[in-house]
Amino acid sequence: MKLHFEENLIMAEPRLLDDQLCVAVYNANKRFNRFYMETLKPYNLTFPQYIALCALWENDKQTVNEIGEKLSLDSGTLTPLLRRLEQNGWVKRTRSKSDERQVIVRLSTKAKEQRDEIYQHVTDCQDLLAYDDVTYADSRSAVKDLSNRLASVDEHDLSSLA
């Protein structure tokens, strides 16, 4: 980034859109959403529903809060998502017997039976990206690093720059 001086102030030269990381991530996110919308269409699933199922395929029988922590979704977003999954026969929700405030989410038979087919379909679609294993791992690592760095920035630090 180039700096120039203006009346005793140091001013950063504006970055072009194509040079901004936030724009690259924003555009990739939009394209990923469209990609997964088409990929998951045969199963009548949205991307957030798919990742909720993935969390349950890894560990069935979780509370709404546990799923929310894994997916970084609050209960206001997750509850309607899980309700739609239940209405479409993917999960079953029940109140905990030990704590009525907690809702336990379990996979349905349908979700268990279709897991391998869905995983294979998603993998086949991801193969269209033509990533070799190393590039895939490097890309995933870079995105996780960016996410961790963003998570570590304190709101106080941001407000002190204003």
Side-chain angles (χ1 to χ4, degrees), residues 40 43 50 53-58 114-126:
L40 298 168
Y43 304 99
Y50 168 71
L53 285 174
C54 285
L56 289 162
W57 283 326
E58 288 181 11
Q114 291 197 6
R115 181 195 73 178
D116 292 344
E117 178 185 331
I118 292 171
Y119 274 154
Q120 186 60 55
H121 181 71
V122 169
T123 298
D124 291 345
C125 289
Q126 286 177 347

Side-chain angles (χ1 to χ4, degrees), residues 96-136:
S96 169
K97 292 177 182 167
S98 61
D99 184 351
E100 291 264 330
R101 296 170 297 175
Q102 289 190 339
V103 175
I104 308 294
V105 184
R106 291 181 175 87
L107 292 167
S108 69
T109 302
K110 171 185 174 177
K112 292 174 185 176
E113 289 174 348
Q114 291 197 6
R115 181 195 73 178
D116 292 344
E117 178 185 331
I118 292 171
Y119 274 154
Q120 186 60 55
H121 181 71
V122 169
T123 298
D124 291 345
C125 289
Q126 286 177 347
D127 287 347
L128 297 172
L129 300 175
Y131 269 155
D132 59 53
D133 291 344
V134 172
T135 305
Y136 181 89

Side-chain angles (χ1 to χ4, degrees), residues 39-148:
T39 298
L40 298 168
K41 191 182 282 187
Y43 304 99
N44 196 28
L45 291 169
T46 64
F47 180 69
Q49 290 171 340
Y50 168 71
I51 62 174
L53 285 174
C54 285
L56 289 162
W57 283 326
E58 288 181 11
N59 184 22
D60 196 3
K61 190 181 174 188
Q62 296 182 57
T63 66
V64 171
N65 289 340
E66 290 170 332
I67 297 168
E69 285 179 25
K70 285 182 183 167
L71 303 181
S72 298
L73 294 174
D74 61 52
S75 63
T77 301
L78 195 53
T79 298
L81 182 154
L82 293 170
R83 184 179 314 120
R84 285 189 302 276
L85 281 174
E86 185 174 42
Q87 289 168 347
N88 291 324
W90 293 101
V91 299
K92 297 175 186 171
R93 296 179 305 152
T94 55
R95 294 247 172 234
S96 169
K97 292 177 182 167
S98 61
D99 184 351
E100 291 264 330
R101 296 170 297 175
Q102 289 190 339
V103 175
I104 308 294
V105 184
R106 291 181 175 87
L107 292 167
S108 69
T109 302
K110 171 185 174 177
K112 292 174 185 176
E113 289 174 348
Q114 291 197 6
R115 181 195 73 178
D116 292 344
E117 178 185 331
I118 292 171
Y119 274 154
Q120 186 60 55
H121 181 71
V122 169
T123 298
D124 291 345
C125 289
Q126 286 177 347
D127 287 347
L128 297 172
L129 300 175
Y131 269 155
D132 59 53
D133 291 344
V134 172
T135 305
Y136 181 89
D138 288 348
S139 297
R140 187 184 64 238
S141 179
V143 172
K144 283 183 174 184
D145 179 63
L146 173 61
S147 181
N148 290 337

Side-chain angles (χ1 to χ4, degrees), residues 1-14:
M1 180 184 310
K2 295 179 184 176
L3 299 177
H4 66 274
F5 296 91
E6 187 175 300
E7 297 181 26
N8 298 326
L9 295 175
I10 299 175
M11 306 279 295
E13 187 173 307

